Structure formats: C-alpha cells, structure tokens
C-alpha cells in the first residue's frame, strides 16, 4: 500500500470513521487525523546503529578542547546512545598528518593548514570509544597527493599504528566532500582519479590483516540537489570508478545555511520535503552507478557552518532531526550520522558545560523505543503537517512484548492541536511519549520535558527512565510538538522476530 493509496482512501475513512477535515484557524475543535499503518509492508530493517554520531576532526586537532572525554557525565551520555558508529572526519581530515612519536610537535595553525596528530591522541580516541562501546569510522587525508595521485605513505603509517595497538576500526573513509574541493584547491580534481584512490586504499587494507574486516565507505559528497548538473555528474563518475571497492556510499546532507537560517524554517514542511527529493535522487544514482550498495548519511544536521546559534541546539531543531530519521528509514538509508555529538551549534551535548541539548534526549528516546522493521505509514492529512513514521518497538531496550509498534510523529501546525487516531487499533491503550519545551523560551528552549516532566541527568550522572502516559485513542498532540506513541498490543507479525 502506498502513500498515494492512503490519500485516495481519505474520503472513505472520513465517512466510515466520522473524521472531519482540519478545521479553519478560527475553530477550537481539534481535528482528528487517521493514521494508517501497514505492518505487512516492510520498507527496510534498520540496525541498532541506524542513528549514529560524529565528532569533527577539528575537535581532534584541538586536543578535545572543552570535551573532557574522561568525564563521567560525558561517558554516561555517550553510553546511553550505544551502539553507534562514531565518525571522525570533516573538512580538516584532508589536512591531517599522523606522527607516531608522542612527543612530536602538534601544529595548531589556522584552519585549512596541515596539522599533526600523534599516537597519544589516537590512543585517547580509542580509549574513549572503547569505554563507551562506540565503533570508530575514521576519515583519511585524500589531499596528501603527489603528481595528481594520492600519496598513501602517511595513511599507511597511521593504519599500521592502529593495527599494532589492536584498536578496532569499523570503517575507513578517504576524503571529505570532494565535489567541493574547488573551494580549497585551484580546481576540482578528476572524479575518476579520486575514485580509483579507493581501490588503492582497499588493496592496502587487504595487506594489513587487522583491516580485513573493516568497511570502506565514501565518497562523502554533498550538494546533490543543487541546480548545477555538474555535482550529480561528479558523483556518478566517482561511483563508476569506486563502487566496487566500497561497502557503502556516503552522502552529506544539510537543509540550511547556519548563518541565515530562520526559526520558522526548522518546522517548515517545504524544508523537510527537500530531503525526500535528495534521497530519491541519491537512490536513483546508486541504482545505476553503484548497484547493490547501501546509502549512508555520513554527516548530517539541520544547518551547515556549525549550525544556527541558539536555534539548531534548541528544542525546535528536533523537528528536522526526527523527520530526517523517519525519511531516511523510509528511503532505505542504512546509517544516519548526526553532526555532531559535541561541537558547534548543533552538538547533542552543550559546549563547555557538557549538558545534553534537546536533540540528545530525542536521540536517546529514538534509540530506546525504535526497532528494526520500518512500515509503510500514511497520515490522512492533505496538508502534510502531521508527519508519522512507524517501526517495530525496540524490545531489547524496553519492557514491551513482541508485536509492539512505535510510531513517531510531528505536529508542525503552529496553532492547532490535532487528535491522532489509528483506526485498526482504536480500542487499544497506547503509550504516549510527548516532548515539549520545558521553559518559557519555547521553541528556543535548551530544556525539554517528557509528558510534562523535565528531563535531566540524575545524581551520579545517571540517565533517567522514560515513563509513558498510557491512554486511549485518539491521542491529542499539541501544536509544534513531536514524540512517540507505542502500540503495545499491535500484534504486528514482523515485530515477533
């Protein structure tokens, strides 16, 4: 059953179930929106690492700066999200050089200048990732080139050091956003040559036994939806040369320019739909130029350029983040790597005080409640302001039994409370997990409450338990809120596995 089918059935459901259309702005009567879930249509099965995170190479360059990776608070917050892939990459990965001598001088020159990292810093990275049970994805410097070809000598030294230490590496990348290299180089390199560098890296990995089980992912391109066809053509040629060496194809995605992003854009349906077009375009390219390969969002957030100050680190950022997770699952994306666990204005944890931002709690709830199988879901709302996605419930992290489903939802109406109903399950008790701003800052709040109770770390840096609000359908969803509804007794067959 498709979304189109659900919309075609809209008038029939209005008649059969007595639902009325969305009222005008002067009405005080909540609209009742039917949500159709088709548990017999499994779109894909996401892994427990579907929601993953990044730490920008810049943080590694600055010796972790204010991120105290040995802090019990940081480690508690990190473990809460486990398991994840931790991607170490970004613009500065293409300026990183490794020196295994721990006493080597660490260059602290300006951005976009080469800098050194030592074995000591690599040790600290893996000590942290191992302690919180995260799996490292490490980006290698592709701009270390000689006569137009990748010079792998320094990368080999780094890989040999990692192998000698026995540090596990889940995946390697090579280069960051090569389709915009012309912004930092005199010209954009030939994508066919860059793609062949992946074959060279794969041969190096095959020669080091420690890396024979390590994935190779790339090419970390961006700008697939810009009007210039040159970006898509670059991606296609790159994949033609590299796809046989790749385990997954990586794309970077942002909606907005952090310098100019407006608050209202973070809950704008048109902005959300931009991602749907981009994923459809990427999947079309993969079918023709990298058949059989899975797509990863290897770096993604709401706004680029470190995010939008006091916006992309506040409650309102959750709309684009939760919708992105839903669309990514729907369109077959295997991994979504959130930029950034720490850093900029889009970090999951706050700069300096290291407290969780609202998107951390949203991510933790997602990890807790959302399981593998993804179902076709249609909200009978012609405005598309009620957005819903459905998975099996995560049985490993909750006490729910087999057959339970989790729906996550967004109400992006600015003033309308909506009653959400599930016609097939109308006689059941459901569990609501509603997230709202926790203070007078509203959409720009840095604090969030769950079912009316503010979320915060408990004593001794313990994460709180998430308590649902049991209730009968329909569920009232206030304007500009989002959250989760668990159907404990859905008896969805794919959720028994």
């Amino acid at each position: 059953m498709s979304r189109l089918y659900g919309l075609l059935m809209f008038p029939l459901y209005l008649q059969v179930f007595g639902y009325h259309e969305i009222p005008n702005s002067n009405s005080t009567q909540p609209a009742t929106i039917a949500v159709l879930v088709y548990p017999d249509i499994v779109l894909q099965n996401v892994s427990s690492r579907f929601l993953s995170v990044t730490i920008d190479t810049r943080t590694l360059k600055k010796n972790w700066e204010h991120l105290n990776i040995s802090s019990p608070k940081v480690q508690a917050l990190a473990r809460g999200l486990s398991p994840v892939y931790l991607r170490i990459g970004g613009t500065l990965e293409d300026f990183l050089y490794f020196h295994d001598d721990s006493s080597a001088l660490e260059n602290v020159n300006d951005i976009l200048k080469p800098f050194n990292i030592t074995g000591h810093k690599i040790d600290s990275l893996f000590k942290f990732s191992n302690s919180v049970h995260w799996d490292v994805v490490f980006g290698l410097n592709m701009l270390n080139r000689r006569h137009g070809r990748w010079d792998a000598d320094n990368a080999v030294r780094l890989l040999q050091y990692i192998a000698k230490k026995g540090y596990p590496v889940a995946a390697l990348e090579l280069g960051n956003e090569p389709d915009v290299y012309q912004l930092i180089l005199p010209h954009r390199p030939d994508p066919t040559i860059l793609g062949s560098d992946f074959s060279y890296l794969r041969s190096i990995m095959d020669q080091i036994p420690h890396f024979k089980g390590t994935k190779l992912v790339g090419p970390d391109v961006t700008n697939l939806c810009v009007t210039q066809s040159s970006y898509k053509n670059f991606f296609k040629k790159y994949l033609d040369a590299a796809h046989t060496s790749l385990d997954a194809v990586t794309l970077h995605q942002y909606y907005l320019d952090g310098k100019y992003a407006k608050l209202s854009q973070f809950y704008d349906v048109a902005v959300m739909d931009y991602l749907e077009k981009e994923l459809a375009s990427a999947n079309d390219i993969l079918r023709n130029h990298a058949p059989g390969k899975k797509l990863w969002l290897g770096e993604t957030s709401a706004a680029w350029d470190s995010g939008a100050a006091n916006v992309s680190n506040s409650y309102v950022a959750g709309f684009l983040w939760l919708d992105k997770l839903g669309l990514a699952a729907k369109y077959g994306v295997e991994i979504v790597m959130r930029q950034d666990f720490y850093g900029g204005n889009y970090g999951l944890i706050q700069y300096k005080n290291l407290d969780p931002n609202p998107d951390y709690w949203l991510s933790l709830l997602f990890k807790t409640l959302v399981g593998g199988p993804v179902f076709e879901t249609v909200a009978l709302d012609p405005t598309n302001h009620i957005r819903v996605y459905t998975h099996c419930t995560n049985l490993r992290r909750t006490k729910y039994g087999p057959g339970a489903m989790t729906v996550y939802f967004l109400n992006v109406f600015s003033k309308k409370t909506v009653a959400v109903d599930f016609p097939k399950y109308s006689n059941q008790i459901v569990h609501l997990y509603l997230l709202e701003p926790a203070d007078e800052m509203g959409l720009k709040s840095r604090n969030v409450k769950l079912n009316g109770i503010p979320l915060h770390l408990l004593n001794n840096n313990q994460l709180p338990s998430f308590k649902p609000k049991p209730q009968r359908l329909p569920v009232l969803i206030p304007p500009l809120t989002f959250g989760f509804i668990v159907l404990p007794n859905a008896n969805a067959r794919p959720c028994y596995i």
Side-chain angles (χ1 to χ4, degrees):
M1 302 287 180
S2 66
R3 182 181 184 85
L4 177 60
Y5 174 84
L7 292 175
L8 290 174
M9 293 294 289
F10 182 51
L12 177 60
Y13 271 91
L14 290 177
Q15 178 179 357
V16 173
F17 295 102
Y19 298 136
H20 50 76
E21 294 187 19
I22 296 173
N24 60 42
S25 58
N26 296 323
S27 173
T28 58
Q29 178 67 32
T32 300
I33 301 297
V35 175
L36 312 181
V37 182
Y38 300 99
D40 53 329
I41 303 178
V42 178
L43 303 178
Q44 78 153 327
N45 196 328
V46 298
S47 76
S48 58
R49 291 175 177 80
F50 171 71
L51 192 167
S52 286
V53 298
T54 73
I55 291 179
D56 199 278
T57 307
R58 184 181 312 194
T59 302
L60 200 63
K61 174 183 177 180
K62 293 184 177 181
N63 198 27
W64 304 111
E65 201 171 26
H66 299 288
L67 178 60
N68 179 5
I69 57 178
S70 62
S71 159
K73 178 194 290 187
V74 170
Q75 297 210 355
L77 293 171
R79 285 194 194 97
L81 298 178
S82 182
V84 300
Y85 289 124
L86 167 62
R87 184 242 186 181
I88 302 292
T91 300
L92 292 191
E93 79 179 66
D94 282 317
F95 298 87
L96 179 154
Y97 290 84
F98 170 73
H99 292 272
D100 54 2
D101 181 359
S102 294
S103 65
L105 177 65
E106 298 189 18
N107 191 316
V108 291
N109 287 340
D110 294 336
I111 191 171
L112 302 189
K113 290 186 178 180
F115 70 99
N116 299 332
I117 62 168
T118 64
H120 176 71
K121 190 168 291 185
I122 293 296
D123 294 341
S124 67
L125 165 63
F126 283 97
K127 181 180 179 181
F128 170 69
S129 63
N130 291 342
S131 68
V132 298
H133 312 296
W134 286 6
D135 300 308
V136 171
V137 176
F138 198 91
L140 300 173
N141 179 352
M142 178 179 258
L143 291 184
N144 185 10
R145 308 188 73 78
R146 182 184 302 167
H147 307 303
R149 297 284 180 171
W150 181 49
D151 183 350
D153 288 352
N154 190 260
V156 169
R157 289 177 60 189
L158 172 58
L159 297 183
Q160 288 175 337
Y161 181 87
I162 291 173
K164 179 182 177 182
K165 291 283 191 171
Y167 296 139
V169 178
L172 291 173
E173 296 179 335
L174 181 60
N176 180 77
E177 299 181 355
D179 53 334
V180 292
Y181 273 168
Q182 69 273 19
L183 300 179
I184 53 179
L185 296 175
H187 57 83
R188 179 193 286 167
D190 185 333
T192 301
I193 293 176
L194 296 180
S196 67
D197 292 334
F198 277 89
S199 299
Y200 183 24
L201 175 54
R202 172 63 77 184
S203 68
I204 292 171
M205 294 166 64
D206 289 341
Q207 294 170 24
I208 305 175
H210 184 74
F211 292 98
K212 285 191 175 180
T214 299
K215 297 179 185 293
L216 179 57
V217 301
D220 290 284
V221 297
T222 187
N223 290 328
L224 276 197
C225 270
V226 296
T227 55
Q228 300 97 315
S229 60
S230 62
Y231 285 98
K232 288 185 179 179
N233 291 335
F234 182 94
F235 189 31
K236 293 173 183 177
K237 291 179 181 179
Y238 210 128
L239 290 179
D240 287 340
H243 78 271
T244 57
S245 301
L246 296 174
D247 293 291
V249 175
T250 51
L251 169 68
H252 292 184
Q253 194 279 336
Y254 294 85
Y255 301 96
L256 306 165
D257 185 335
K259 291 181 180 178
Y260 306 105
K262 298 178 181 178
L263 182 75
S264 61
Q265 290 178 300
F266 282 74
Y267 54 91
D268 188 326
V269 169
V271 175
M272 294 177 181
D273 288 344
Y274 178 88
L275 174 61
E276 191 164 16
K277 298 173 184 176
E278 194 162 8
L279 292 179
S281 176
N283 282 333
D284 182 63
I285 291 173
L286 262 62
R287 277 191 293 269
N288 293 287
H289 298 271
K293 304 298 182 182
K294 282 286 192 176
L295 179 66
W296 289 16
L297 292 183
E299 178 188 312
T300 189
S301 197
W304 66 84
D305 197 16
S306 292
N310 302 315
V311 180
S312 57
N313 51 8
S314 64
Y315 173 84
V316 74
F319 290 98
L320 289 180
W321 179 222
L322 188 58
D323 195 65
K324 175 173 291 181
L325 292 169
L327 284 175
K330 177 180 177 180
Y331 277 85
V333 175
E334 188 173 45
I335 300 294
V336 179
M337 294 184 169
R338 168 60 184 256
Q339 178 86 351
D340 200 312
F341 175 67
Y342 164 86
N345 293 305
Y346 42 34
L348 294 181
I349 63 175
Q350 297 180 24
Y351 189 66
K352 291 189 178 180
N353 69 16
L354 306 178
D355 288 337
N357 276 321
D359 272 4
Y360 174 84
W361 295 116
L362 176 56
S363 300
L364 183 59
L365 263 168
F366 188 96
K367 281 278 189 177
T368 302
L369 297 174
V370 175
V374 184
F375 302 130
E376 178 68 42
T377 306
V378 179
L380 299 184
D381 165 28
T383 71
N384 205 22
H385 280 55
I386 303 301
R387 302 170 76 91
V388 289
Y389 306 93
T390 308
H391 296 230
C392 289
T393 301
N394 188 340
L395 304 184
R396 294 183 178 181
R397 295 184 61 155
T398 67
K399 295 181 180 180
Y400 292 108
M405 296 193 309
T406 295
V407 178
Y408 43 109
F409 61 85
L410 303 88
N411 178 2
V412 294
F413 282 115
S414 59
K415 296 181 180 180
K416 296 174 183 175
T417 294
V418 173
V420 172
D421 200 2
F422 302 86
K424 186 177 178 181
Y425 310 100
S426 287
N427 61 340
Q428 297 187 7
I429 298 293
V430 301
H431 288 179
L432 173 65
Y433 298 81
L434 179 67
L435 290 168
E436 299 175 280
D439 54 42
E440 68 281 356
M441 293 298 294
L443 293 178
K444 297 181 75 172
S445 176
R446 300 291 290 275
N447 301 294
V448 64
K449 58 185 179 183
L450 174 66
N451 294 331
I453 300 175
L455 291 174
H456 54 79
L457 285 171
L458 306 179
N459 294 335
N460 300 318
N461 297 309
Q462 296 295 309
L463 293 170
S465 58
F466 296 134
K467 297 180 179 180
K469 181 181 179 181
Q471 62 181 87
R472 290 195 176 276
L473 292 168
V475 177
L476 292 180
I477 308 300
L480 292 180
T481 60
F482 46 80
F484 303 80
I485 299 171
V486 175
L487 286 72
N489 301 308
N491 293 321
R493 185 174 302 174
C495 303
Y496 279 90
I497 301 174

